């Protein structure tokens, strides 16, 4: 069974690593069919900090194919990936293309493969923020609408897919591959010296600190918004030093908007640093007092690490991190972020919550299922019924109160572009 596994951008690497390992394990055990994996990097992210260091930290083999598309506008990047991927598909004629997450490469490779009638499996399917201004939401919806096999991280995602008309038998609730990687590397991350290097750990022990990451267009592309967030971070830094591993996109906007002043000078307690490698970042997050972020994956990692997480967005496609984990939506106003910060500094639960099947075994389940599909063809569908009970859909921020979509009035629902749907209990 020949499978092309696609990676493109930073959040893809930690998702593909455990799947490659599970394939190796499957083949090593002599299970049938043997799987021939081809690792393809689109080159959406390309530099050492955003790409190469993850291959090194996570032991991912060198990609068999690199499309080297690089940066560009959304249409340009998506188009370039499709154009470069099509001849690869024609040459290799794989049995299946496996894509992960919601980046431009995910959607582009799905479209190119399906147009050639090649089956596609999507890992991390069914996540929905309800926010069509997010480029990732468009990528998610397009990918899920045409992919054949949809692997989900929780039951809420399965319910979204069902509501959108995906037959239940194509949806497989397997758990969270990103958490597979976190579980596997947590011990190794303790050897990282990042805390000492940043002066957070010394003879006196660990000093409390906050971690910040930001890269979403809604937070960083507008000078007023980014300036307001920087001002808020400065206020937070009076209480706790702030470590800010800065995405290249955010760094470019700060330079463009002349915001460097917030981070210059000896008095600034905000440390703007380059993006960190996987292990350093895991170690940094594990010991943080609070994480402020607009990333999707970090909300999930914080849930497993038991670190209070303030998400600088109005909504999240990962509501389970709010309903079960330590994540709170705080938007991007000074008032709401500071309010969230006070919550996080209080007796906020730091207990580790483990959503169902976030147990380090998701990739094994995926490969097992793919092998079964390989053996049985489409007859392999429909053996699992993933949606049993759903208590809520996407979570949105409404008047500083976090609500699930089912708690919103229909007016609010329409405003926030989230539709409630009937709950189903088996
Ligand atoms: C992309 C994904 C986003 C993901 C994020 C993680 C989409 C639509 N967005 O956003 O979902 O959360 O990656 O990082 O696919 N750049 C570099 N070096 C690199 C890569 C990028 O300097 O290796 C710079 C370039 O200036 C580029 C900018 O970062 O223009 C943005 O990169 P891009 O891949 O377009 O989108 P991200 O904002 O990283």
């Amino acid at each position: 069974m020949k499978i092309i596994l696609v990676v493109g951008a930073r959040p893809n690497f930690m998702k593909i690593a455990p799947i490659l390992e599970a394939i190796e394990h499957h083949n090593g055990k002599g299970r049938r069919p043997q799987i021939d994996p081809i690792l393809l990097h689109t080159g959406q992210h390309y530099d050492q900090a955003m790409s190469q260091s993850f291959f090194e930290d996570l032991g991912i083999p060198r990609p068999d194919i690199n499309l080297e598309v690089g940066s560009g506008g959304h249409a340009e990047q998506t188009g370039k990936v499709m154009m470069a991927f099509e001849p690869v598909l024609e040459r290799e004629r794989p049995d299946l293309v496996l894509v992960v997450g919601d980046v431009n490469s995910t959607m582009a490779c799905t479209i190119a493969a399906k147009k050639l009638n090649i089956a596609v499996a999507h890992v991390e399917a069914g996540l929905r923020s309800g926010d069509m201004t997010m480029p990732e939401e468009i990528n998610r919806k397009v990918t899920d609408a045409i992919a054949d096999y949809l692997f989900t991280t929780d039951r809420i995602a399965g319910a979204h897919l069902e509501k959108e008309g995906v037959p239940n038998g194509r949806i497989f609730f397997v758990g969270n591959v990103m958490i597979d990687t976190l579980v596997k590397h947590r011990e190794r991350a303790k050897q990282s010296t990042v805390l000492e290097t940043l002066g957070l750990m010394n003879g006196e022990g660990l000093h409390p600190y906050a971690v910040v990451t930001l890269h979403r267009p809604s937070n960083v592309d507008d000078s007023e918004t980014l300036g307001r967030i920087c001002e808020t971070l400065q206020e937070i830094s009076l209480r706790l030093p702030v470590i800010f591993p800065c995405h290249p996109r955010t760094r470019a906007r700060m330079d463009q908007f002349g915001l460097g002043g917030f981070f210059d000078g000896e008095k600034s307690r905000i440390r703007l640093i380059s993006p960190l490698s996987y292990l350093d970042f895991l170690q940094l997050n594990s010991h943080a007092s609070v994480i402020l972020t607009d990333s999707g994956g970090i909300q999930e990692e914080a849930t497993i690490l038991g670190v209070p997480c303030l998400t600088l967005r109005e909504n999240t496609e990962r509501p389970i991190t709010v309903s079960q984990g330590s994540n709170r939506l705080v938007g991007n106003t000074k008032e709401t972020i500071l309010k969230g910060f006070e919550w996080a500094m209080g007796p906020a639960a730091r207990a580790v919550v483990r959503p169902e099947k976030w147990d380090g075994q998701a990739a094994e389940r995926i490969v097992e299922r793919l092998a079964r599909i390989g053996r049985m063809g489409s007859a392999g569908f429909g053996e699992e019924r993933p949606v049993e009970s759903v208590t809520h859909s996407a979570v949105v921020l409404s008047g500083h109160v976090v609500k699930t979509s089912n708690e919103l009035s229909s007016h609010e629902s329409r405003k926030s572009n989230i539709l409630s749907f009937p709950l189903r209990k088996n």
Side-chain angles (χ1 to χ4, degrees):
M1 189 179 186
K2 191 193 259 194
I3 301 183
I4 296 186
L5 299 104
V6 175
V7 288
R10 183 168 64 176
N12 294 160
F13 306 130
M14 49 291 241
K15 294 171 192 165
I16 223 71
I19 300 175
L20 281 169
E21 270 177 48
I23 289 176
E24 205 177 308
H25 185 234
H26 167 94
N27 287 341
K29 291 262 176 198
R31 293 183 186 143
R32 309 238 54 95
Q34 289 281 288
I35 297 174
D36 173 16
I38 298 177
L39 180 60
L40 179 137
H41 193 337
T42 64
Q44 177 175 342
H45 284 179
Y46 43 82
D47 65 28
Q48 171 69 25
M50 299 297 287
S51 175
Q52 190 52 35
S53 80
F54 289 82
F55 281 75
E56 290 158 11
D57 267 7
L58 303 177
I60 306 172
R62 210 184 140 84
D64 300 292
I65 300 166
N66 193 327
L67 304 180
E68 293 181 355
V69 298
S71 303
H74 285 280
E76 184 189 0
Q77 202 169 52
T78 306
K80 275 185 179 166
V81 172
M82 287 172 66
M83 286 169 71
F85 192 37
E86 190 174 59
V88 173
L89 290 166
E90 275 165 345
R91 187 178 73 229
E92 299 290 343
R93 293 305 310 181
D95 296 296
L96 182 101
V97 170
L98 183 143
V99 295
V100 296
D102 57 14
V103 302
N104 286 340
S105 300
T106 309
M107 178 183 74
C109 289
T110 301
I111 296 173
K114 286 305 297 172
K115 291 258 180 170
L116 294 178
N117 283 326
I118 295 169
V120 173
H122 182 208
V123 174
E124 208 184 68
L127 298 186
R128 297 288 181 269
S129 65
D131 179 357
M132 286 297 282
T133 65
M134 267 180 98
E136 293 81 2
E137 184 75 352
I138 297 165
N139 294 341
R140 292 178 198 122
K141 285 189 137 186
V142 172
T143 302
D144 288 341
I146 60 176
D148 302 86
Y149 309 101
L150 299 158
F151 292 105
T152 59
T153 50
D154 60 37
R155 294 177 189 277
I156 305 164
H160 287 145
L161 294 171
E162 280 213 330
K163 179 176 155 265
E164 289 171 15
V166 177
N168 187 287
R170 289 176 184 263
I171 306 167
F172 306 103
F173 171 35
V174 289
N176 192 326
V177 284
M178 212 180 67
I179 301 305
D180 289 8
T181 297
L182 186 149
V183 168
K184 176 168 179 201
H185 293 282
R186 213 166 161 190
E187 271 310 302
R188 260 184 79 215
K190 290 181 182 160
Q191 287 157 25
S192 154
T193 54
V194 69
L195 299 178
E196 290 81 358
T197 308
L198 291 171
L200 300 167
M201 174 91 91
N202 57 25
E204 295 162 25
L206 183 74
H207 295 270
Y209 58 91
V211 174
V212 175
T213 81
L214 293 171
H215 72 279
R216 299 243 164 255
S218 57
N219 283 330
V220 307
D221 281 1
D222 173 61
S223 65
E224 204 183 304
T225 307
L226 187 56
R228 188 174 65 231
I229 293 174
C230 289
E231 214 180 287
T232 312
L233 293 178
Q234 200 171 46
E235 209 160 313
I236 288 175
S237 79
L238 299 176
R239 300 266 298 276
L240 277 183
V242 171
I243 311 296
F244 190 167
C246 197
H247 191 287
R249 172 196 189 87
T250 310
R251 174 83 71 159
R253 294 291 179 270
M254 282 173 175
D255 292 346
Q256 186 187 338
F257 303 148
L259 295 170
F262 283 104
F263 312 101
D264 291 343
E266 293 198 350
K267 282 208 186 117
S268 174
R269 300 230 299 164
I270 306 178
R271 292 278 297 277
L272 205 59
I273 57 174
S274 300
L276 291 172
S277 68
Y278 183 81
L279 294 174
D280 285 347
F281 192 55
L282 178 52
Q283 173 71 344
L284 185 69
N285 281 342
S286 300
H287 295 277
S289 299
V290 55
I291 299 171
L292 296 97
T293 189
D294 58 11
S295 148
I298 295 172
Q299 298 170 46
E300 298 182 337
E301 290 170 339
T303 289
I304 295 295
L305 296 173
V307 175
C309 178
L310 304 178
T311 296
L312 275 67
R313 287 173 46 190
E314 299 289 327
N315 50 56
T316 178
E317 62 288 339
R318 291 157 162 97
I320 204 165
T321 62
V322 176
S323 60
Q324 294 194 15
S326 52
N327 185 24
R328 292 290 176 274
L329 299 182
V330 296
N332 61 17
T333 71
K334 191 170 178 178
E335 186 200 350
T336 51
I337 298 170
L338 291 177
K339 201 169 156 196
F341 180 72
E342 290 308 326
W343 166 80
M345 289 297 99
R350 283 189 67 105
V352 175
V353 179
R354 201 173 276 285
E356 187 182 0
K357 295 194 189 177
W358 291 22
D359 57 359
Q361 303 299 315
E364 292 283 341
R365 292 187 194 104
I366 290 169
V367 172
E368 204 177 290
R369 171 60 60 179
L370 291 176
R372 197 177 308 175
I373 290 166
R375 286 193 300 273
M376 302 173 68
S378 56
F381 285 149
E383 290 169 38
E384 277 183 23
R385 291 192 59 76
V387 183
E388 281 161 12
S389 68
V390 175
T391 50
H392 52 254
S393 179
V395 167
V396 298
L397 180 74
S398 171
H400 310 168
V401 180
V402 177
K403 292 185 178 183
T404 67
S405 64
N406 295 333
E407 291 167 347
L408 293 171
S409 67
S410 56
H411 170 69
E412 284 174 306
S413 263
R414 274 196 302 279
K415 240 176 57 189
S416 66
N417 205 16
I418 295 194
L419 298 173
S420 300
F421 56 93
L423 303 184
R424 230 195 65 190
K425 281 201 170 159
N426 282 356

